[in-house]
């Protein structure tokens, strides 16, 4: 990697007060960060003092290992935009350097940092919803120690990942912190996460751990694990050992040991695992090994009306008593494996057409009742049934309240709803009803969008000439020309799209308090180990900053453009740390700040 | 991996004559392949006879190594579509098995194959355009040898990659060929390739070799290497050693040794490298290290009118004498490194606005001449100038004939044009003018489409509510809802889209003969080593079959649906061979043939 000339960068950035006079800023940007100006520190043989807590010691060891092994040189840094005449002339002097950047001399340093003092108030706090994640990190001018204070271990772990991002190489192998710094940091939202789907395709343990590494570095704290779906069941359970006969192979199974290893790895990095067993929809594989009579419409894909959003179909029969016995037992065992106080019980995309395959449901409907009434039966029966097994907070997809199949009566208000349709509209509706909400709006943050369709034998691609080519309205597009090409939630959500999302817009204060955070889902019809990390990263880092410290500067303006250098550098940092993140731009854009901005106007995004 | 029950598959497929009574078929599908029915062969200690040619021996060693090390078990196989009542009932009997597939017994074999006899007519033929790639492969009932004949070594190499795909494991570790087989195979087109772009982001040698591995397995034979662009120059030249000062780093440089190693690796696998030095547009980095006065508008990105399609801009000054001296020398040295008789000299996307930054061009235009006249100057001066250095066939982007900047007069008819705009229309126009054409239509086969935009400071993402949500025409879409989200060539081109492309539709016989083949480009603004293979594969394999044996069955019907199992299996095979191809579907669809077809109708795509 080419060494940046930190001295010249420092000179340049000193002119640009809003950015800070340093080359590197952590991602997510802290709530408050103030850089000094008295000069750099050398960093040498950092040692930890102040706590014997094992989680802390492990976190510290990871951070110092990354610092000393990577000797990170910033790969993209913020700089003032260069001067540019609105109408350029050939006589203008481009500010881009002609010569390739040279190796650079060691920055003069003003002191040596060798100790990290940590003060954690409550080392017994457990990793659950709303655990205090705040921390302070102070490197005072003239000091030889880095002072960290936090309410809990989890705040201190965040301090370490901040620290490892601000200790950089001076390009000659010497580690430095560029300036004194004072950080007072805490997240805007307690729920900040990504969702992986191991039901459509298996995801290996190691690949899940890689996601957790990326999450820890970007201060995401909830891994929503959509474990199973109609297509496969890889979760090994003692209660029903035959369910994994519907895994994709003997090797593609999550044993209890594997799940526990993933949970422990995540917990050590401040990441909760929110397991999801999707019920009563998206159900076939696994369940069918117990009793096929619990299932309906599993063979209905080519039915005259839609019974599912995709192959293969299948739903648990809400009117079948066995359904409750089995789902309770499955819930009980999975809930006992995962220590989190939250549990995701699914609840999305129930199709009335599917239930028409159940004789019990047909009788139910014939008596004048509706699909909403049927959903209400599920809510009234299944939720108390689950609670009896293990008392957890339930997360459900918004559908139970916000779809054609929504329960016709009451849904307990302590259920947390995950909003995925209609962007701001559904967030507004859900919070207006008094529910807490997790924002997963598909229009803004579904990471699987834009890859075309995946179903086979699809004649829609077999079109040679654009049928709407002669239309003059540029918004008129065709399936194969400009539109989704089979991806229902096209277009692809770029990091700018995700970061720009003001998901509390239009909410009153009461409603805003019901927004607990946001989770970006990656559905896995076109995902397995090979492409998982590239589809999640670095876009999830844009979400990470959005829910940690927001998308606006102190003046209230969107700071998406300021994020550019941070996220470009962070992508390289992820790759260096073994997380296979995608490149966002030509490296030219990393090495030439702002030269790839489409607009010269710094306020183009406004408020 | 789970073992398939080959015996039961064989029983099933025997009912379906169009498919062939075997589990595995090679990709691309051979021009003619006839499976026998007398039963399987064991394969043991294959040895080669009939040739001492080193290329052949190496190719044979690679094939036998893959066969013995992978012991491939088919991961997706064709099977007859199951019976399904148009209006399903719950009393119907699903044909999907309830139980997970069991381990299976060894198929009875009828003989042992232990020798491969190769007969190559002309072992001296070199790897150049139109080299004969045909081959025959015969495994006769009762024989103990595999007989291969070919006109050239390159045909025999294709025979080996066919062979390695049809020798599979019986699931107990024994290698078999399922049935006697007779293959008479040759490609439809002599040019079958992919394009990589190492100008926007560097691509490492090893990652390029990985693409060549995938190409050899799918019988693609041309790697079009867009080596440089305005953003970086990584090609080390003795003539102008300073050009690589505009590489992204000291480590991101192609030395002569590196280029030669890539060329040799490709040649050993029957893959030509077609190098592209893009001139006179897309020029800045590298060139500027020689003489900045040759360049215009390199600092014009934020000009009032577009001077380039993306940051950064820059074009070589067509009216500057130094331009011809330098481009000739660069051409000469690169042409000496690459042995191919073809050379791609670019020629795309010349912007008249850019040339308005040249005082010489302004005088030229002031005299009443046009951009087309300026392009003509380039054609008339540069091409003979290049030919003097090394006499090669030039490939150029279609723009020199098909754009607003098209040359106003004659372009030599021996220039091969690469068509990328307007699908069938431009292919028709170019061949009507008498030019040979390489099909790279962006609407069908640009592999970089659909990933949103990459330029920064882009306010278009900062929109919270769909401005056209209330329109009733489903073809009306907005930037962030349904349309490209910043990707100019959205949507993403799926393997079905690529395979369905009838790129000679509407051409007369004379025009058809001018179509030399097809190359699928992957532009690299959002690509580097991390995601390269996943974006190219397995979609390039759909193109590979399209240009090898077409997209229709013997009855003339589109066989896209028949390709499904082949490409799903081939994707897994690529991954097993170290090529990081993307998954196309849930593994459910691999293990349950046709269950993920959106339509039950086998003739949905028609002719």
């Amino acid at each position: 990697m080419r060494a940046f000339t930190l001295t010249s960068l420092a000179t340049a950035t000193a002119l640009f007060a809003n950015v800070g006079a340093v080359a590197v800023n952590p991602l997510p940007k802290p709530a408050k960060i103030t850089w000094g100006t008295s000069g750099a520190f050398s960093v040498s043989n950092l040692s930890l003092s102040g706590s014997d807590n094992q989680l802390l010691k492990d976190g510290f060891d990871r951070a110092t290992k990354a610092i000393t092994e990577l000797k990170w040189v910033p790969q993209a840094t913020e700089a003032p935009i260069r001067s540019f005449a609105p109408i350029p002339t050939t006589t203008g002097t481009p500010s881009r350097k002609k010569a390739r950047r040279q190796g650079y001399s060691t920055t003069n340093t003003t002191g040596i940092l060798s100790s990290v003092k940590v003060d954690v108030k409550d080392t017994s706090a457990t990793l659950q919803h709303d655990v205090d994640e705040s921390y302070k990190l102070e490197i005072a001018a003239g000091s030889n120690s880095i002072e960290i204070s936090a309410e809990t271990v989890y705040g201190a772990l965040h301090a370490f990942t901040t620290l490892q991002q601000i200790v950089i190489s001076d390009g000659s192998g010497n580690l430095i912190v560029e300036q004194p710094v004072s950080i007072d940091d805490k997240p805007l939202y307690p729920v900040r996460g990504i969702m992986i789907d191991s039901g459509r395709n298996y995801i290996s343990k190691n690949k899940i751990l890689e996601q957790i590494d990326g999450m820890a570095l970007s201060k995401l704290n909830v891994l929503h694990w959509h474990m199973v779906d109609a297509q496969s069941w890889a979760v090994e359970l003692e209660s029903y050992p035959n369910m994994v006969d519907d895994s994709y192979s003997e090797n593609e199974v999550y044993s209890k040991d594997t799940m526990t290893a993933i949970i422990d790895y995540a917990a050590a990095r401040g990441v909760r695992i929110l397991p999801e067993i999707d019920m009563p929809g998206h159900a076939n594989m696994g369940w069918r090994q117990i009793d096929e009579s619990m299932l309906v419409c599993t063979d209905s894909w080519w039915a005259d009306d839609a019974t599912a959003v995709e192959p293969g179909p299948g739903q648990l029969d809400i009117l079948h008593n066995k359904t409750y016995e089995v789902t309770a037992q499955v819930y009980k065992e999975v809930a006992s494996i995962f220590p989190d106080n939250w549990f995701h019980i699914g609840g999305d995309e129930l199709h009335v057409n599917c239930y028409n395959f159940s004789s019990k449901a047909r009788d139910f409907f014939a008596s004048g009742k509706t699909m909403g009434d049927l959903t209400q039966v599920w809510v009234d029966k299944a939720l108390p049934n689950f609670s009896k097994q293990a008392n957890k907070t339930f997360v459900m997809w918004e559908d139970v309240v916000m779809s054609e199949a929504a329960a016709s009566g009451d849904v307990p208000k302590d259920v947390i709803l995950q909003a995925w349709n209609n962007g701001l509209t559904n967030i507004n509706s859900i919070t207006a009803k008094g529910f807490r909400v997790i924002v997963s709006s598909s229009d803004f943050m579904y990471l699987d969008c834009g890859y075309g369709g995946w179903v086979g034998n699809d004649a829609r691609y077999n079109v040679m000439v654009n049928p709407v080519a002669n239309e003059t309205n540029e918004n008129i597009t065709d399936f194969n020309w400009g539109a989704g090409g089979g991806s229902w939630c096209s277009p692809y959500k770029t990091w700018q799209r995700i970061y720009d999302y003001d998901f509390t817009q239009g909410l009153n204060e009461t409603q805003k308090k019901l927004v607990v955070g946001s989770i970006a889902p990656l559905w896995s019809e076109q995902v397995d180990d090979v492409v998982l990390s590239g589809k999640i990263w670095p876009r999830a880092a844009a979400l990470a900053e959005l829910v940690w410290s927001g998308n606006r500067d102190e003046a209230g303006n969107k700071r998406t453009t300021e994020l550019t250098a941070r996220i470009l550098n962070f992508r390289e940092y992820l790759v260096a740390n073994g997380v296979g993140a995608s490149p966002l731009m030509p490296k030219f854009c990393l090495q030439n700040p702002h030269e790839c901005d489409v607009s010269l106007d710094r306020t183009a995004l406004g408020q």
Side-chain angles (χ1 to χ4, degrees), chain A residues 126-432:
Chain A
T126 56
L127 183 66
Q128 293 289 356
H129 178 62
D130 244 350
V131 67
D132 192 307
E133 295 177 274
S134 68
Y135 71 91
K136 293 181 184 177
L137 187 155
E138 191 84 30
I139 304 177
S143 172
N144 67 351
S145 71
I146 297 160
E147 315 256 351
I148 290 170
S149 63
E151 295 295 314
T152 74
V153 168
Y154 302 100
L157 289 177
H158 290 317
F160 293 153
T161 62
T162 297
L163 177 64
Q164 80 178 76
Q165 289 185 46
I166 63 174
V167 179
I168 59 175
S169 166
D170 69 352
S172 306
N174 304 304
L175 294 171
I176 62 169
V177 171
E178 295 171 82
Q179 294 287 354
V181 68
S182 176
I183 298 173
D184 187 353
D185 204 11
K186 64 177 181 184
L188 285 174
Y189 295 95
V191 174
R192 307 178 309 279
I194 53 178
M195 188 211 81
I196 56 171
D197 163 17
S198 59
R200 273 58 178 255
N201 278 303
Y202 186 77
I203 300 168
S204 73
K205 172 187 158 189
N206 283 344
K207 197 49 76 170
I208 294 175
L209 301 188
E210 186 178 318
Q211 309 318 306
I212 293 167
D213 289 344
M215 295 178 73
L217 287 173
S218 56
K219 299 185 171 62
L220 290 171
N221 69 337
V222 176
L223 178 61
H224 170 184
W225 186 359
H226 182 87
M227 304 188 80
V228 294
D229 215 294
Q231 291 88 352
S232 78
W233 185 287
V235 180
E236 191 170 75
L237 296 179
E238 287 173 19
S239 316
Y240 301 109
N242 289 344
M243 292 184 94
V244 290
D245 287 353
D246 281 335
S247 70
Y248 285 133
S249 72
E250 291 82 353
N251 297 328
E252 291 168 295
V253 167
Y254 302 110
S255 69
K256 187 176 174 183
D257 283 352
T258 299
M259 291 185 272
T260 301
I262 292 168
I263 293 162
D264 292 347
Y265 189 91
R269 287 153 182 81
V271 174
R272 302 160 57 195
I273 310 266
L274 173 61
E276 177 186 353
I277 301 294
D278 202 351
M279 304 170 284
H282 289 276
N284 183 14
M285 296 292 159
W287 306 106
R288 69 177 183 164
Q289 297 288 348
I290 302 169
D291 185 346
E292 266 192 306
S293 74
M294 293 186 301
L295 295 164
V296 287
C297 94
T298 57
D299 193 33
S300 66
W301 172 245
W302 295 302
D304 294 338
D305 264 326
T307 60
V309 290
E310 67 184 38
Q315 297 176 183
L316 288 161
D317 193 337
I318 289 172
L319 299 175
H320 193 311
N321 284 334
K322 188 77 182 274
T323 296
Y324 297 91
E325 174 197 326
V326 173
T327 56
Q329 186 58 39
V330 167
Y331 167 83
K332 181 181 179 182
E333 186 171 344
V334 179
S336 76
I337 296 169
F338 288 85
D340 207 89
N341 288 339
W342 288 14
F343 196 103
H344 201 309
I345 54 174
D348 56 327
E349 299 186 316
L350 289 180
H351 278 255
V352 63
N353 290 329
C354 178
Y355 282 121
N356 281 325
F357 285 80
S358 153
S359 59
K360 296 189 187 73
R362 281 199 304 272
D363 292 347
F364 184 82
F365 296 145
S367 75
K369 295 190 171 158
T370 65
M371 181 61 220
D373 295 330
L374 191 58
T375 302
Q376 191 69 46
V377 172
W378 172 258
V379 169
D380 291 344
K381 249 180 118 170
L383 274 59
N385 200 35
F386 295 151
S387 295
K388 262 190 290 180
Q389 313 300 325
N391 189 21
K392 299 208 173 193
T393 296
F394 298 127
V395 182
M396 295 182 78
W397 294 102
E398 66 177 9
D399 309 48
V400 68
V401 168
M402 295 299 300
S403 69
E404 286 182 16
S408 55
D410 285 343
V411 173
K413 284 292 188 290
D414 58 358
V415 171
I416 298 168
L417 297 177
Q418 191 165 4
W420 62 285
N421 287 299
N422 302 321
L424 297 176
T425 306
N426 281 18
I427 296 166
N428 197 328
S429 300
I430 291 165
T431 53

Side-chain angles (χ1 to χ4, degrees), chain A residues 27 192-198 203-204 207-216 218 220 222-226 445-449 451 492-495 498 519-524 526-544 567 570-571 574 579-584:
Chain A
L27 185 155
R192 307 178 309 279
I194 53 178
M195 188 211 81
I196 56 171
D197 163 17
S198 59
I203 300 168
S204 73
K207 197 49 76 170
I208 294 175
L209 301 188
E210 186 178 318
Q211 309 318 306
I212 293 167
D213 289 344
M215 295 178 73
S218 56
L220 290 171
V222 176
L223 178 61
H224 170 184
W225 186 359
H226 182 87
M445 55 180 66
Y446 264 36
L447 301 176
D448 51 302
C449 303
Y451 293 89
Y492 182 90
K493 312 309 173 196
T494 67
W495 65 274
I498 294 167
I519 290 173
L522 177 65
W523 298 102
S524 288
Q526 295 159 300
V527 173
D528 64 12
D529 274 13
V530 176
V531 298
L532 180 72
S533 297
K535 290 192 178 185
I536 290 183
W537 304 102
R539 290 186 291 164
L543 178 70
I567 199 167
F570 191 73
R571 182 267 170 173
L574 285 168
V579 181
S582 291
L584 297 175

Side-chain angles (χ1 to χ4, degrees), chain A residues 35-52:
Chain A
W35 290 98
T37 55
S38 57
F41 301 84
S42 284
V43 177
S44 176
N45 296 318
L46 286 177
S47 67
L48 179 70
S49 65
S51 174
D52 284 339

